[in-house]
Amino acid sequence: MSATTAPSPSDGAPRTSARSPADVVARAGLPAELGELVLAVTGKLRLWPRERIDVARELCAHLADGLAEGRTPAELATDFGTPKDTARLITRAKKRTRPWWYRSWVHFGNFCGVLLIVFVVFYTFAAIRYYVGKPIIRVDYLAQLNAPVLAVAPEDRAWPKYLQAYMKLPVVPIIDGKELLLTDVQPGTPEWTAAEKYIRDNASILADIRSASTLKTSGYVLTHTHGLDFTKRPGYRLSTGVTPAKTAFETGLDGSLLAIPLPTMPAYREMTRVLACDARLAARDGDAARAIDNIRAMLALSRHSVEPTTLLIGQLVGNAIFVRAAMSAEQLMIDAPSLLTSDQIAELSSMIARWRANPFKGDDTVDTTGERAMMLDILQRVYTDDGNGDGRLANANAARWLATLQAGEPSPTGNNIFIGAITSQVIAGRAATLKAYDDELAAVAQRSTLPLQQREAEEMRSDRFEGFATRIRYVFAATMLPALDRASRNLTLAAARREAVLVGLALERYRLARGTYPATLRELIPTYISSIPTDPWDGGELKYAAPKSPTDRPRLYSVGRDLKDDGGDEVEVRPAGAKPATADTPPAHPEPRDILFWGGKI
Amino acid sequence: MRIERELMRGAGPVAVLKLLSAGPKYGYELAETLTARTSGVLDMGQSTLYPMLYNLEAKGLIEAFWQDAPQADGGRERKYYRLTDAGNKQLAKDVKQWQAVADAMTGLGILPARFATAICPAPIGGAL
């Protein structure tokens, strides 16, 4: 070994211009066998090029030192070790000298690898649970909903007769490029002339509709494939707005209650418009009986739209039909103020007084029977059943259904198998989902007893499914819950309108008897009304504005959301730059200042 | 006598640190010195020596630098290793540990008494 002094370490490492281990070996001038040995080792190194060159230099230097000490190539080769083992050991050790960022990256990669393994294990477990479990459809909710309908004798069912008349009823004509809107025509216009012709040409069909409306119940039997084809109506065109109802398979909801089409709804709406128009025509014809009969038929249609399903959509359509009937009653008083006798007005009042938004319970609450049946039906189709009311999400269709429910249209490609297995572990179980759903129904029912302004504030405060994690966990409950609070408000306002219309008709009877309208509503008590109805917004009395001139009309109104009495002024206020609603600020959508129930623009 | 790999794993690094405590050395020099001063007991080939050096380097106990050898040695390039401050501290710690092991082995009668430190405890099982 050399006896010379050790070099100073401060001189820095000499650089090399070698580009590869072979370069290094060639320059080292070692005997062939030793050079091959170095190359055999460096060839097996799984290192960066720079590192391989460094190792080659060091090994060559070592061997050169050995040769300089008088050792033979064979001795040096023996001490070398096997190339494979040497390369493996050097690779492992050399990598430990790499900079911190590399090591961090390796650690991060290892961490990701571990995470991936954990994820694969988790996913395998989740997928097995998801796909092995099978839902059991135990209850036929469709049969349950149809049972009351089927209990009614066929001759007492209105729908078959409605259908017969409806299929004969031509679609409304196009006037000046626009579809004739029978409820928006004004006398003296071409539209009115067209509407009058349409009504008179189909007078017998209207009579059939009125006749059908006298029957006890709608009698429509819910089915997935009703086979009805409204395109066969005379003059049908796509713009009619009555689209053929989709079948279950089109909606992608495979046999569930959700997939049941309701062809009655558009039919009832259209028949209502026709009856409303004929009521106006009857007033002009001086035919009080026909006018009243049309309003009665509309009230019956309102009730029939709720009956088959107790679904919320039925109540909302029924509500809209009632509002039209109420407006027709007022229109009758405007068009022909002297047509009806006081007794006839009393008869009209009696019919309107009997109307209820929820005919099953005889009140104005939202009926959730049908909605809950839909929820239970969905649950039994996407969850397993452990026999104790609980189960786990286990249906390959669940993801597709969710996508369809949330998009509001069929999503056949929404069945993401990967996501289904993962989310099934996050989504709440069957019992927890149903409980969340029922809790929200109960909360809505409780809120519906509050005055509207308090109700809205309470709705904002109590978003049960607020937050992303909660919304995912209870996705079925959140998705299946209809806008119950909004529906509840609509029904409350419809009930308020009913009471206001009764007062309005009482005002007309007062006018017929006294020749003028009263100064206050108290003058109607007790002869015409028993009490002054409640304003649904502030809980006080319904507001009255007596006519200011002989041509003016009396107004009955609510103070509306702002709780300020604007004298029945209905001017809409659209808040500019309105921010999202909070518990302390009203919702950012346009509302009239006051809500006119009687005396406004029809 | 070649010693077992596990013993080499413990003895080899401290031996290298000790040699480097006397000044920087290159790889071949370290290998030859270890062989000569341990009578071949710590004889290690390149497949053992260089991975050990790289491990010590990765731990920051030694550091490497290239330097041309003196002309008398042919002026070839060599990679030298020197002890760092951390290496110094580790060496001191390792020496204490080895001394403690030697004391224990002495107490068991495995090593002769001359390997014990001045504060060697009484031999286990020996006469009081």
Side-chain angles (χ1 to χ4, degrees), chain A residues 2 9 57-58 62 65 96, chain B residues 50 55 73 76-77 81:
Chain A
S2 167
R57 288 169 73 195
E58 190 160 15
H62 183 105
D65 284 332
R96 293 193 184 118
Chain B
Y50 287 103
N55 280 327
D73 289 342
R76 296 184 301 278
E77 61 172 6
Y81 293 91

Side-chain angles (χ1 to χ4, degrees), chain B residues 103-111 123-124:
Chain B
D103 289 346
M105 293 300 180
T106 302
L108 289 172
I110 294 172
L111 291 175
I124 297 171

Side-chain angles (χ1 to χ4, degrees), chain A residues 535-552:
Chain A
D535 184 331
W537 274 103
D538 69 358
E541 289 183 341
L542 189 68
K543 309 301 179 285
Y544 170 63
K548 296 189 176 74
S549 70
T551 54
D552 198 12

Side-chain angles (χ1 to χ4, degrees), chain A residues 464-483:
Chain A
R464 185 174 303 273
F465 304 112
E466 191 174 5
F468 179 74
T470 306
R471 201 159 272 281
I472 291 292
R473 180 161 169 70
Y474 296 108
V475 65
F476 279 104
T479 304
M480 289 296 295
L481 270 171

